[in-house]
Amino acid sequence: MRLLVIRTSAMGDVALMTPVLKGMREQYPEVELILLTRPAFKSFFTSIDGLKLFYPDFKKRHRGIQGLFILFRELRKQGRIDYVIDLHDVIRSKMLRFFFWVNGTDVEKINKGRDEKRSVIRGQKKEKLSHSVERYSGVFERAGFKITLSDGPWIIPASGALDKALRISGITDGINIGVAPYAKHDLKMWPEESMIQLLKMISEKFNAKYWLFGGKEESEKLISFQKRVLGSVVLTGKLQLEEELAVMTGLDFMISMDSSNMHMAALTGTKVISIWGATDPLTGFGAWKQPEDYSISIPFNQLACRPCTVYGKGKCKRKDHACMIWLTPEMVFQRLINLKIL
């Protein structure tokens, strides 16, 4: 039997497939898996034996409806596909699975729980929803493949990547802390000044070195950040993704916003302290398998308007970003001490 699995973005969501795909390969080795995703995400799956990757070209060859039909035909050439597992459920994946369905292939798609998430955002309930990993697993179960999710790590960089990364990064004795100080959306961002003050407080009491992570679009901000924090090193632009993942495995812990770096570090088995403002782990996007008290935020009973967004889009209705401004460096530092992370 051969299954086609579809998920092409975003980075964190793609990474979160690894516990499910790893479990699928371990528990159903006779089932061939073809994953349709972007080549940029190849490093997430190098340790999953027998997983076949297929890369679309949405900018050229597979652009538009005609391009998607070409992609459909190219996928069929890989051999008979018995089931399509759509973990994305966007226009492209809907069209692609429609082509397969018309051709007689069984299909199953993710239930994103949009109504449930809207209820949380509207303040109608503050209940913990299914995690994205659990929603992915549910799609396979509805297709007839019940998966027992194994313990991590779920992303294991190749040993060569680890050796190279450690040579370049210079992981040292003392405490090695990863820091991802930025996020894609402003509502997810703790003030830069707060993060800088937190790291200075740590350095006053501990021998710590900071490894700064972020996207290419954040490189200038990270360089500026590095100049203000003694003992910090920017990794962006110096390492490939697999090498960055390898560095994460050598960290004592990571401090991150609600971002892809949070997910990647957690999936490598590293402790992750995540800082939350307008978004919240309740909606199912928390760092996978991290203790709940590793997520730091202003409690709902102190600030009832949070969370006000699922993905971080939009603007603060209070216009003061209280969910992040009220969260002081001292509060985060004390949590690190109480958790005995430091």
Side-chain angles (χ1 to χ4, degrees):
M1 176 174 276
R2 184 179 293 108
L3 273 61
L4 171 66
V5 183
I6 304 173
R7 179 85 212 197
T8 57
S9 67
M11 179 178 277
D13 297 290
V14 172
L16 285 171
M17 290 192 295
T18 53
V20 178
L21 296 179
K22 182 179 179 183
M24 186 69 192
R25 286 297 305 149
E26 290 172 349
Q27 294 158 48
Y28 299 93
E30 73 282 3
V31 177
E32 182 179 344
L33 289 183
I34 300 174
L35 173 61
L36 182 72
T37 194
R38 297 178 188 270
F41 305 138
K42 176 182 178 181
S43 299
F44 295 150
F45 308 105
T46 53
S47 65
I48 303 179
D49 293 335
L51 178 65
K52 184 175 182 179
L53 303 180
F54 195 99
Y55 305 128
D57 181 8
F58 291 137
K59 291 184 178 180
K60 294 182 180 179
R61 182 173 178 80
H62 303 137
R63 184 178 180 178
I65 295 177
Q66 183 177 355
L68 288 173
F69 189 72
I70 292 173
L71 176 58
F72 160 69
R73 291 192 300 179
E74 291 176 356
L75 286 165
R76 287 186 64 197
K77 291 179 181 178
Q78 303 300 305
R80 174 184 169 82
I81 292 174
D82 300 286
Y83 226 117
V84 173
I85 306 292
D86 183 1
L87 301 182
H88 209 168
D89 196 30
V90 293
I91 292 175
R92 283 175 178 149
S93 66
K94 288 177 181 179
M95 288 297 303
L96 196 56
R97 75 173 190 250
F98 173 76
F99 293 145
F100 277 100
W101 178 77
V102 169
N103 193 56
T105 304
D106 290 328
V107 300
E108 192 61 69
K109 67 180 179 67
I110 188 171
N111 173 14
K112 293 185 176 181
R114 291 186 176 93
D115 291 339
E116 300 171 86
K117 291 171 183 175
R118 276 194 288 267
S119 293
V120 173
I121 298 307
R122 291 169 180 168
Q124 296 169 342
K125 63 178 180 180
K126 301 290 186 185
E127 299 176 4
K128 188 175 183 180
L129 305 181
S130 297
H131 194 280
S132 291
V133 172
E134 295 166 335
R135 292 188 185 277
Y136 290 161
S137 180
V139 184
F140 282 88
E141 184 168 351
R142 291 193 296 276
F145 303 95
K146 185 174 177 60
I147 301 170
T148 300
L149 298 172
S150 61
D151 294 331
W154 301 274
I155 295 178
I156 305 174
S159 58
L162 178 58
D163 293 340
K164 180 180 178 182
L166 295 181
R167 285 199 308 272
I168 294 174
S169 66
I171 292 287
T172 61
D173 294 333
I175 303 174
N176 290 280
I177 303 173
V179 182
Y182 304 113
K184 183 177 180 179
H185 301 294
D186 290 342
L187 288 179
K188 292 183 176 184
M189 294 266 288
W190 199 34
E192 182 182 82
E193 192 62 34
S194 295
M195 181 67 82
I196 290 172
Q197 290 305 312
L198 171 64
L199 302 187
K200 288 181 177 179
M201 291 172 69
I202 294 173
S203 292
E204 286 175 0
K205 294 185 177 294
F206 301 93
N207 175 25
K209 192 162 186 178
Y210 308 104
W211 307 97
L212 307 182
F213 294 83
K216 292 181 180 179
E217 69 281 2
E218 298 163 351
S219 58
E220 290 186 9
K221 291 194 295 184
L222 286 167
I223 291 171
S224 176
F225 187 100
Q226 176 186 14
K227 293 176 181 177
R228 298 189 60 196
V229 179
L230 187 66
S232 64
V233 177
V234 175
L235 295 177
T236 303
K238 298 179 182 179
L239 301 175
Q240 300 297 317
L241 176 59
E242 187 163 21
E243 294 158 0
E244 287 194 6
L245 293 167
V247 172
M248 289 178 182
T249 67
L251 299 173
D252 290 282
F253 64 94
M254 168 80 86
I255 304 173
S256 176
M257 307 296 100
D258 171 13
S259 68
S260 59
N261 280 294
M262 174 190 74
H263 294 302
M264 289 188 290
L267 291 165
T268 63
T270 298
K271 297 176 183 177
V272 180
I273 300 298
S274 52
I275 297 175
W276 299 78
T279 58
D280 194 90
L282 278 184
T283 59
F285 296 108
W288 180 241
K289 290 299 183 180
Q290 298 287 317
E292 288 188 11
D293 51 6
Y294 281 20
S295 299
I296 304 177
S297 61
I298 300 298
F300 303 136
N301 60 4
Q302 295 180 25
L303 194 61
C305 63
R306 64 168 304 275
C308 64
T309 173
V310 176
Y311 306 108
K313 297 179 181 179
K315 295 182 179 180
C316 176
K317 295 176 182 178
R318 286 175 51 108
K319 303 187 185 303
D320 63 353
H321 207 190
C323 55
M324 284 301 199
I325 299 299
W326 291 5
L327 196 61
T328 66
E330 290 79 10
M331 292 167 63
V332 178
F333 180 77
Q334 191 58 51
R335 177 70 69 87
L336 295 175
I337 297 296
N338 293 345
L339 292 171
K340 298 182 180 180
I341 295 291
L342 287 171

